[in-house]
Amino acid sequence: MYERILETASWLKERMTTKPETAIILGTGLGQLASEITDSYEFSYQDIPNFPVSTVEGHAGKLIFGKLGGKDIMAMEGRFHYYEGYNMKEVTFPERVMYELGIKTLFVSNASGGMNPQFHIGDLMIIDDHINFFPEHPLRGKNFPTGPRFPDMHEAYDKGLRDLADQIAEEKGIKVQHGVYVGVQGPTFETPAEYIMYRTFGGDAVGMSTVPEVIVARHCGIKVFGISVITDLGGFDVPVEVSHEEVQEAANAAQPRMTEIFREIIKRS
């Protein structure tokens, strides 16, 4: 696997004309941020050696390079999920490649179900921490040379970046929430009882991504900032049905606010 990571990174380096130190993962329905990237060039996942291919509606499946907030960045428009049938090494393959390309900071975004009664659909939740409910750990197996066998996770999401996001949100008049993200395998949306369980365990939002990517990024020493867009609600007195289309629609409406925060953090850090 490590040889394939190096091969992919080498292939990209030969074709890159920029040197980004920041990467962004765009979740379901959040691909519009890509249109904010200037001086851009891109590679389709299917053209990149060893790269998985996203199969989910709302995920374009390409790596985009260019500028955002005046800085060189790279963005994944479309990620890979455990529920698609990939193993964890494949799900987190891009983060391994990012490290080899010199990425120092990773921004992650996702659409998630809110179970905090203070949340509303369309809210932006800055991720303070996460709970890992995936059945397979992304660091299981032989340890990669990019980090320790037993990496510390007491600050998976960088506090300095979270504080900066709060400052920016206050300046721009953008309402933000804070909370704990619960990562589950999917692809079913949660039952009412599952929402209640995750809330009881300390979760504020639940989704089917992000946690494996963050774990591997931290294993590589990459700083992480994450935002969940609350696209549906669950665990309350009245069960609420949800569809993938509704999730995409809610995420789409929240994109400008999330983009503003990402852009300003990149610009100032």
Side-chain angles (χ1 to χ4, degrees):
M1 174 63 82
Y2 193 52
E3 290 74 18
R4 283 188 282 156
I5 291 165
L6 294 177
E7 180 186 357
T8 302
S10 177
W11 187 92
L12 286 167
K13 284 178 184 177
E14 290 174 3
R15 291 159 177 80
M16 290 166 57
T17 57
T18 52
K19 292 186 177 181
E21 294 188 355
T22 300
I24 303 172
I25 300 175
L26 301 173
T28 300
L30 297 169
Q32 279 189 13
L33 184 147
S35 65
E36 302 280 335
I37 300 171
T38 60
D39 305 314
S40 64
Y41 59 100
E42 60 189 47
F43 304 100
S44 173
Y45 290 166
Q46 62 189 12
D47 295 331
I48 303 172
N50 307 314
F51 229 72
V53 177
S54 181
T55 64
V56 183
E57 184 182 348
H59 290 249
K62 56 188 178 183
L63 277 186
I64 305 170
F65 294 82
K67 289 187 180 295
L68 186 70
K71 304 278 185 68
D72 286 347
I73 63 110
M74 67 179 288
M76 284 182 67
E77 192 173 1
R79 54 154 52 96
F80 312 113
H81 303 81
Y82 190 71
Y83 65 73
E84 292 177 81
Y86 296 115
N87 64 44
M88 281 298 181
K89 293 292 189 293
E90 294 168 323
V91 168
T92 59
F93 187 86
E95 289 68 47
R96 295 290 185 190
V97 172
M98 288 175 187
Y99 171 78
E100 299 299 333
L101 294 179
I103 294 300
K104 301 289 193 296
T105 305
L106 174 65
F107 290 71
V108 293
S109 65
N110 59 60
S112 63
M115 48 210 173
N116 184 321
Q118 304 301 315
F119 288 3
H120 299 89
I121 289 177
D123 279 355
L124 300 181
M125 185 191 86
I126 294 172
I127 305 174
D128 290 330
D129 204 348
H130 70 229
I131 299 173
N132 183 11
F133 266 98
F134 283 91
E136 180 187 348
H137 198 282
L139 301 183
R140 179 177 179 268
K142 184 179 178 181
N143 189 45
F144 279 75
T146 55
R149 171 76 281 188
F150 304 105
D152 177 75
M153 292 293 289
H154 84 278
E155 193 179 316
Y157 301 84
D158 188 80
K159 188 175 187 306
L161 295 176
R162 286 183 276 140
D163 289 345
L164 180 56
D166 282 332
Q167 178 186 331
I168 291 165
E170 185 175 359
E171 290 173 11
K172 304 286 185 182
I174 299 172
K175 175 190 173 186
V176 293
Q177 306 277 14
H178 280 257
V180 174
Y181 176 86
V182 179
V184 299
Q185 67 173 316
T188 51
F189 290 112
E190 289 66 41
T191 67
E194 286 170 340
Y195 271 122
I196 292 169
M197 178 187 71
Y198 296 140
R199 177 65 180 155
T200 302
F201 282 176
D204 296 286
V206 59
M208 307 170 194
S209 66
T210 301
V211 170
E213 299 153 325
V214 171
I215 289 173
V216 168
R218 294 301 301 131
H219 183 254
C220 294
I222 297 171
K223 292 195 300 184
V224 176
F225 174 79
I227 284 183
S228 292
V229 178
I230 306 302
T231 52
D232 57 281
L233 299 169
F236 308 127
D237 292 338
V238 180
V240 180
E241 290 187 20
V242 61
S243 70
H244 185 68
E245 290 72 26
E246 289 170 325
V247 167
Q248 287 181 285
E249 184 177 334
N252 189 56
Q255 286 192 87
R257 289 173 285 130
M258 186 192 77
T259 299
E260 184 74 7
I261 292 173
F262 276 13
R263 183 196 296 112
E264 283 298 311
I265 294 177
I266 292 168
K267 183 179 179 180
R268 302 183 195 188
S269 60

